[in-house]
Amino acid sequence: MMFTKSNKYDFDFVKENMMGPNSMKILEEVSESLKFEKGMRILDLGCGRGLTSIFLAKEYDVTVFATDLWISATENYERIKSMGLEDKIIPIHAEAHNLPFANEFF
């Protein structure tokens, strides 16, 4: 796989915000079997510092609910704003067993 989408991102930005393996490359590979459609709502549960949320919003023009327990929503919002994606990504601080969404919202 060539990783044409994830390789476009600044290496230092990705390295600084990774919290394990390169989640953008993993998501790019997984996206070959998933069909993301423009305007779709996606829950990025355990988003960490929001790399996958940024990737989804930029590459697939979807709305992402970037949810994490360990990284604050404010910290992620600053990163989201720096990428110009505040209209596509909603940062949320929540525990996975107590999410603030209606049933079948996603």
Side-chain angles (χ1 to χ4, degrees):
M1 174 165 218
M2 298 295 296
F3 298 107
T4 55
K5 291 181 179 2
S6 56
N7 283 337
K8 294 187 290 187
Y9 292 80
D10 178 72
F11 177 78
D12 291 331
F13 174 79
V14 173
K15 185 177 174 185
E16 177 182 321
N17 292 291
M18 276 196 306
M19 296 180 71
N22 190 326
S23 56
M24 294 170 89
K25 289 189 181 207
I26 293 168
L27 183 56
E28 184 171 0
E29 190 168 346
V30 169
S31 71
E32 289 187 2
S33 61
L34 296 173
K35 299 299 175 219
F36 296 117
E37 297 175 16
K38 182 179 180 176
M40 185 181 264
R41 279 190 301 234
I42 296 179
L43 173 62
D44 189 358
L45 187 58
C47 70
R49 292 188 176 100
L51 285 178
T52 48
S53 299
I54 290 166
F55 182 79
L56 286 164
K58 284 183 80 82
E59 301 302 324
Y60 300 100
D61 198 18
V62 296
T63 299
V64 183
F65 292 77
T67 307
D68 200 88
L69 177 63
W70 303 108
I71 305 297
S72 79
T74 300
E75 181 183 332
N76 276 340
Y77 186 57
E78 292 304 317
R79 201 171 358 272
I80 291 162
K81 284 194 313 186
S82 77
M83 300 295 286
L85 294 168
E86 59 270 22
D87 63 331
K88 301 299 284 176
I89 305 172
I90 298 92
I92 298 167
H93 180 256
E95 206 280 330
H97 296 99
N98 191 21
L99 296 175
F101 307 110
N103 291 341
E104 301 181 29
F105 185 72
F106 297 99

